[in-house]
Amino acid sequence: FNIEQLLVVVRRAMETSSLRQENKELKQKDLVEYELKGESIAFRNFVSSLDRVSKTNSRVLISGSSGSGKEISARYIHDNSKQAAGNFILVNCSTANEVELEKALFGFETSEGSNEIGALEKANGGTIYLDEVAEMPLDLQGKILKFLVENTISRLGSNKELDVDVRVISSTNIDLTEKIKTKKFREDLFHRLNVVPIK
């Protein structure tokens, strides 16, 4: 080993250790208590639809008004799916500006060698939940579309492509078809996300 190779090995070991610790912390944070309760026929039909989609790897778009249980439904799908052993990572698309949201999703690298992994990488082997996806900026929608087509991502500041295996569940409290008409949401992205619609 020369010095340069040794530095690469040390940096990779530190990254691996950091990822393991972050993964452990995320799993501890994700111990959210929830329960789906109801007796009506409509409710039982709804839970049956969640059970059916849980067994597939299909992308799901959940629509409903604020407070109607979209996140609980997404967690239920994850917890009953083959991705249940992986992380459930929630990203609220309405709470950050475009640059911060892109960093949160894809991660970033700096020329000084500091790395930050993003939500898509953290969700590898599990599920990412894109809450209020209608609020995602248009330019970023194109990057998410590319990820959905290719199953690869690149951290900001890096040209290296990383393969990721992530189930995508998204939600909205508004009619996305209206946003498509006004050119504020990409129709091709809508069709990629809306493989299984749940209301």
Side-chain angles (χ1 to χ4, degrees):
F1 282 110
N2 61 33
I3 299 277
E4 210 169 277
Q5 290 172 319
L6 190 58
L7 284 171
V8 169
V9 169
V10 169
R11 190 178 299 130
R12 283 190 183 148
M14 287 172 68
E15 251 185 68
T16 302
S17 173
S18 172
L19 282 171
R20 283 194 185 120
Q21 180 61 31
E22 197 164 352
N23 194 28
K24 184 179 173 185
E25 287 169 9
L26 282 167
K27 284 188 174 174
Q28 286 170 345
K29 282 181 193 172
D30 197 42
L31 297 174
V32 175
E33 290 292 325
Y34 70 89
E35 190 175 358
L36 291 172
K37 284 186 177 181
E39 296 298 327
S40 70
I41 292 171
F43 178 81
R44 289 202 298 269
N45 288 341
F46 174 70
V47 174
S48 291
S49 69
L50 295 183
D51 286 332
R52 280 194 302 276
V53 77
S54 295
K55 305 299 180 244
T56 72
N57 196 31
S58 300
R59 295 182 197 119
V60 180
L61 177 62
I62 305 170
S63 56
S65 58
S66 296
S68 61
K70 297 186 294 294
E71 182 185 340
I72 289 173
S73 300
R75 286 181 183 276
Y76 183 92
I77 292 168
H78 169 76
D79 289 345
N80 292 282
S81 72
K82 67 178 184 179
Q83 292 86 7
N87 291 324
F88 177 92
I89 304 293
L90 184 153
V91 176
N92 189 324
C93 299
S94 67
T95 58
N97 64 43
E98 183 169 356
V99 174
E100 290 306 311
L101 183 56
E102 188 172 359
K103 283 181 179 178
L105 284 165
F106 292 95
F108 63 90
E109 295 184 9
T110 66
S111 54
E112 293 80 36
S114 64
N115 301 333
E116 175 97 21
I117 67 170
L120 287 164
E121 214 171 327
K122 290 173 188 171
N124 193 21
T127 302
I128 190 161
Y129 173 50
L130 302 174
D131 190 22
E132 304 307 345
V133 72
E135 304 302 319
M136 184 179 288
L138 209 50
D139 287 346
L140 193 49
Q141 290 176 30
K143 293 175 183 176
I144 289 293
L145 180 65
K146 182 178 184 291
F147 150 68
L148 294 174
V149 171
E150 299 176 1
N151 292 314
T152 61
I153 60 165
S154 295
R155 294 175 186 163
L156 274 71
S158 170
N159 293 322
K160 184 182 175 185
E161 292 201 333
L162 305 167
D163 293 325
V164 286
D165 176 22
V166 177
R167 182 177 196 170
V168 178
I169 302 175
S170 50
S171 73
T172 180
N173 65 2
I174 65 169
D175 185 353
L176 281 177
T177 57
E178 290 303 314
K179 288 206 93 167
I180 291 167
K181 285 177 190 172
T182 58
K183 308 288 186 196
K184 291 180 179 172
F185 200 86
R186 292 180 61 129
E187 187 171 6
D188 47 3
L189 177 59
F190 172 75
H191 291 302
R192 292 274 177 181
L193 295 174
N194 194 41
V195 177
V196 179
I198 292 181
K199 294 186 180 180

